[in-house]
């Protein structure tokens, strides 16, 4: 599968106000249109459709009759999972041009009459008996539990977690679309409201509108399109629980497995990575990813980020768009890990461009630290 | 409450904490299921648990998202690891939230529900 498929078109949108003018299908279609235009393709070329809710309904809306369809829903990592599945499908010859899309406007929906779908439970939901009665706040509660455990076992401090938010904000300052761009300090994070101890408000991601899409095709076809292809060098997915009370070890995610598999397929080591796009629903989430993907040893994430390693000028540029912490987080953020990786590998990231970026990781986290999906992406030079 | 979990909740009416075990594997099964995950067999039985354990992880909730028995007061949500192995989500009560620590020994205590069942909470041992 290594190098058999490439991302050839991307689009994303967010706003400093946190709100967008369009929503729903119109926003999804706009993103697909922009990503196809970016690739130099049209809807008529599409024969594969991914969508985190229903690829059938979305394909019908577009009038597309795909021969590859994927509605896998693993929360925020859904888009990395779609990327993996699409690359495998293209490598296997099942289809030729795949689109994936996400649009969500939770912020502007507050002021709009929206027909919200009634929450549905597919099959029995044991959380109703074994978790819900204890009033754990969602979604930050489970991450707070993980942070408390990491602190107790490894001595990680609130200051170290705060440094992740501070470094990420430095990157956001260079993204004109970011919700928050003013610098913050560790003290600012510690002085922000304690939500679920030990997580403060500024340890938590935003709630904003946002949307994005990608287009993938075969490496062969990619070479004739509008932009330099970004190749899928490796991919891996793993999940080890759904309810947080079933997570085997709250200090270690299934990213240990997804990351190792993706890196092995790509034939790379952490040292080879120029850019880490790491799902930062909370500061602790990003810290766990650094350890689980092997950028530092287990338990040393705090010391690693404390040096500013992930900030501009550091050894491991991380979340260069400003991340879920400062750029945008419209519910499921994984699409933006992919779109930013592609922009960086094409050299299109403007003021925040990582010089000479050849290999990027898009590492999605879905559910409640539940489903990890890792994509290794690279330029032509990395094939 | 499901058919599978009914014995757990019935026992709480007598303030007894019971855990499902596989008699073939001699291993606990948590959360309650219809088969043992070790052998996929159904030789399951309910055994009394010690009610003792320790705090595995916890958070102090300062801004409850929903009506809670704790009103507007901060409260502790924790994962407690029972001496028998299973890890339960619960509330730690009977002490100031700020005094809770990871590794703290705790024991079960009960909060009565309106239907006569009891909810297993934990307090410092």
């Amino acid at each position: 599968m290594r190098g058999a498929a490439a991302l050839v078109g991307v689009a994303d949108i967010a706003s400093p106000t946190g709100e967008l003018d369009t929503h729903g299908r119109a926003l999804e279609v706009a993103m697909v249109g922009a990503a196809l235009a970016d690739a130099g393709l049209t809807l008529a070329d599409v024969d594969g459709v991914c969508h985190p809710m229903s690829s059938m309904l979305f394909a019908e809306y577009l009038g597309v009759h795909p021969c590859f369809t994927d509605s896998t829903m693993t929360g925020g990592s859904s888009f990395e999972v779609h990327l993996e599945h699409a690359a495998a499908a293209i490598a296997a010859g099942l289809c030729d041009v795949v689109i994936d899309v996400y649009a969500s406007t939770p912020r502007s929906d507050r002021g709009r009459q929206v027909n919200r779908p009634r929450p549905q439970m597919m099959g029995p939901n044991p959380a109703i008996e074994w978790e819900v009665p204890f009033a754990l706040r969602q979604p930050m509660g489970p991450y707070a539990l993980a942070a408390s455990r990491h602190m107790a076992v490894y001595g990680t401090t609130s200051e170290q977690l705060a440094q992740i938010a501070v470094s990420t904000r430095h990157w956001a300052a260079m993204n004109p679309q970011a919700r928050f761009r003013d610098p913050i300090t560790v003290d600012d994070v510690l002085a922000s409201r304690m939500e679920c101890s030990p997580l403060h408000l500024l340890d938590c991601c935003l709630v904003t509108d946002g949307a994005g899409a990608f287009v993938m095709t075969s490496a062969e076809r990619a070479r004739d399109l509008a932009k330099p292809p970004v190749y899928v060098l490796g991919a891996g997915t793993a999940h080890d629980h759904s309810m947080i009370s079933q997570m085997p070890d709250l200090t270690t995610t299934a990213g240990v497995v997804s990351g190792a598999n993706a890196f092995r397929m790509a034939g790379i080591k952490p040292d080879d990575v120029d850019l880490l796009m790491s799902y930062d629903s909370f500061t602790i989430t990003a810290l766990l990813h650094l350890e689980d993907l092997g950028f530092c040893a287990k338990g040393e994430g705090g010391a690693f980020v404390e040096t500013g390693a992930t900030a501009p000028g550091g050894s491991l540029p991380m979340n260069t768009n400003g991340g879920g912490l400062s750029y945008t987080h419209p519910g499921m953020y994984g699409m933006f890990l992919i779109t930013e990786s592609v922009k960086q590998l094409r050299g299109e990231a403007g003021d925040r461009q990582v010089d000479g970026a050849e290999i990027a990781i898009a590492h999605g986290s879905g559910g409640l630290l539940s489903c990890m999906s890792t994509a290794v992406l690279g330029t032509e030079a990395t094939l | 409450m499901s058919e599978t979990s009914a014995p757990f909740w019935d026992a709480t009416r007598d303030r007894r904490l019971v855990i499902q075990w596989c008699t073939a594997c001699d291993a606990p099964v948590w959360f309650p299921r219809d088969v043992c995950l070790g052998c996929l067999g159904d030789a399951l039985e309910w055994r009394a648990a010690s009610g003792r354990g320790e705090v595995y992880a916890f958070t102090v909730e300062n801004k409850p998202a929903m009506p809670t028995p704790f009103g507007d007061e901060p409260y502790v949500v924790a994962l407690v690891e029972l001496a028998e192995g299973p890890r339960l989500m619960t509330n730690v009560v009977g002490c100031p939230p700020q005094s809770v620590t990871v590794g703290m020994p705790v024991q079960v205590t009960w909060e009565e529900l309106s239907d006569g069942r009891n909810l297993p909470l934990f307090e410092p041992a």
Side-chain angles (χ1 to χ4, degrees):
Chain A
M1 184 169 124
R2 185 189 195 276
L7 293 161
V8 292
V10 290
D12 58 23
I13 186 170
S15 163
T17 65
E19 300 196 3
L20 298 175
D21 295 334
T22 51
H23 65 106
R25 283 283 189 248
L27 185 53
E28 290 179 332
V29 173
M31 288 297 103
V32 167
L36 285 168
D38 187 48
L41 291 167
T42 70
L43 210 48
D45 295 303
V46 174
D47 64 355
V49 174
C50 307
H51 189 284
M53 298 305 173
S54 171
S55 53
M56 290 214 314
L57 287 171
F58 187 59
E60 178 181 74
Y61 191 89
L62 292 175
V64 170
H65 305 164
C67 55
F68 171 75
T69 188
D70 189 357
S71 304
T72 304
M73 170 56 177
T74 62
S77 59
S78 297
F79 312 95
E80 284 69 38
V81 176
H82 297 163
L83 184 157
E84 175 191 47
H85 294 178
I90 288 168
L94 300 182
C95 57
D96 195 31
V97 175
V98 179
I99 56 169
D100 188 19
V101 69
Y102 181 61
S104 179
T105 51
R107 195 168 189 91
S108 58
D109 286 353
R110 291 168 179 170
R112 185 187 293 133
Q113 285 291 92
V114 179
N115 289 324
R116 287 196 179 79
R118 216 170 263 279
Q120 290 181 11
M121 289 301 171
M122 307 298 280
N125 178 15
I128 291 170
E129 285 179 279
W130 312 117
E131 292 196 348
V132 172
F134 307 103
L136 182 65
R137 192 173 170 201
Q138 302 291 343
M140 60 275 286
Y143 297 86
L145 292 173
S148 85
R149 184 73 190 171
H150 203 278
M151 288 176 162
V153 174
Y154 297 112
T156 303
T157 65
S158 288
E159 287 78 3
Q160 290 171 332
L161 289 178
Q163 183 60 48
I164 293 174
V166 170
S167 295
T168 305
R169 183 63 66 86
H170 283 151
W171 285 111
M174 293 182 276
N175 180 359
Q177 300 306 310
R179 174 80 175 100
F180 293 119
R181 301 178 66 192
D182 293 337
I184 53 172
T185 65
V186 166
D187 286 343
D188 289 336
V189 179
L190 300 186
S192 65
R193 187 175 69 234
M194 185 69 91
E195 296 285 345
C196 295
S197 76
L199 298 180
H200 303 78
L201 178 65
L202 291 178
D203 285 302
C204 304
C205 65
L206 311 170
V207 178
T208 57
D209 297 354
F214 70 70
V215 182
M216 186 187 292
T217 189
S218 64
E220 187 181 2
R221 188 163 181 183
R223 294 195 177 95
D224 300 326
L225 297 179
K227 296 281 183 70
V230 169
Y231 296 91
V232 180
L233 302 179
T237 296
H239 52 87
D240 60 8
H241 66 282
S242 179
M243 293 192 289
I244 194 67
S245 58
Q246 290 283 309
M247 186 170 176
D249 176 348
L250 261 71
T251 67
T252 302
T253 73
V256 168
V257 177
S258 71
N261 288 346
F263 281 40
R264 189 183 309 115
M265 186 189 294
I268 64 154
K269 306 179 301 300
D271 277 354
D272 299 321
V273 173
D274 300 309
L275 165 69
L276 173 61
M277 292 304 299
S278 162
Y279 202 116
D280 56 345
S281 47
F282 299 87
T283 50
I284 181 66
T285 321
L287 182 130
L288 292 174
H289 298 334
L290 286 168
E291 297 175 352
D292 294 343
L293 295 177
F295 292 102
C296 59
K298 180 50 64 183
E300 292 179 7
F304 183 79
V305 298
E306 213 164 32
T307 64
T310 63
S315 59
L316 180 66
M318 182 175 84
N319 297 339
T320 51
N321 56 1
L325 293 170
S326 288
Y327 164 47
T328 190
H329 195 287
M332 299 195 295
Y333 169 75
M335 176 61 77
F336 302 90
L337 304 169
I338 296 166
T339 56
E340 177 72 2
S341 294
V342 170
K343 289 180 201 176
Q344 287 282 1
L345 293 178
R346 286 176 177 173
E348 293 178 347
D351 291 345
R352 62 184 189 275
Q353 179 65 44
V354 175
D355 285 341
E358 302 280 3
I359 292 180
I361 306 297
H363 182 65
S365 171
L368 302 166
L369 292 170
S370 313
C371 181
M372 302 298 158
S373 185
T374 314
V376 182
L377 306 173
T379 63
E380 185 92 35
T382 62
L383 284 178
Chain B
M1 190 164 73
S2 64
E3 197 178 317
T4 308
S5 65
F8 176 91
W9 291 109
D10 286 343
T12 71
R13 294 178 186 278
D14 306 323
R15 303 196 162 207
R16 289 185 300 115
L17 183 67
V18 297
I19 295 288
Q20 204 176 28
W21 284 74
C22 173
T23 57
C25 299
D26 196 34
V29 177
W30 181 259
F31 52 95
R33 290 178 172 88
D34 297 317
V35 296
C36 165
L37 302 184
C39 64
L40 294 185
D42 61 359
L44 301 172
E45 68 176 19
W46 292 89
R47 296 183 188 171
S50 66
R52 291 184 170 269
E54 64 176 46
V55 173
Y56 175 84
F58 75 99
T59 180
V60 181
E61 299 277 5
N62 286 311
K63 192 185 167 204
M66 61 205 89
T68 78
F70 305 97
D72 293 331
E73 293 302 309
Y75 60 97
V76 177
V77 184
L79 296 176
V80 164
E81 201 158 273
L82 295 178
E84 292 81 5
R87 205 182 290 154
L88 279 57
M89 187 172 285
T90 189
N91 300 123
V92 175
V93 297
C95 62
Q98 295 73 18
S99 69
V100 175
T101 57
V102 171
M104 187 170 101
V106 289
Q107 63 190 18
V108 72
T109 181
W110 299 94
E111 180 178 295
E112 193 171 350
L113 301 174
S114 57
D115 61 2
R117 291 181 299 150
N118 288 279
L119 196 60
L121 307 184
F122 285 78
E123 62 187 9

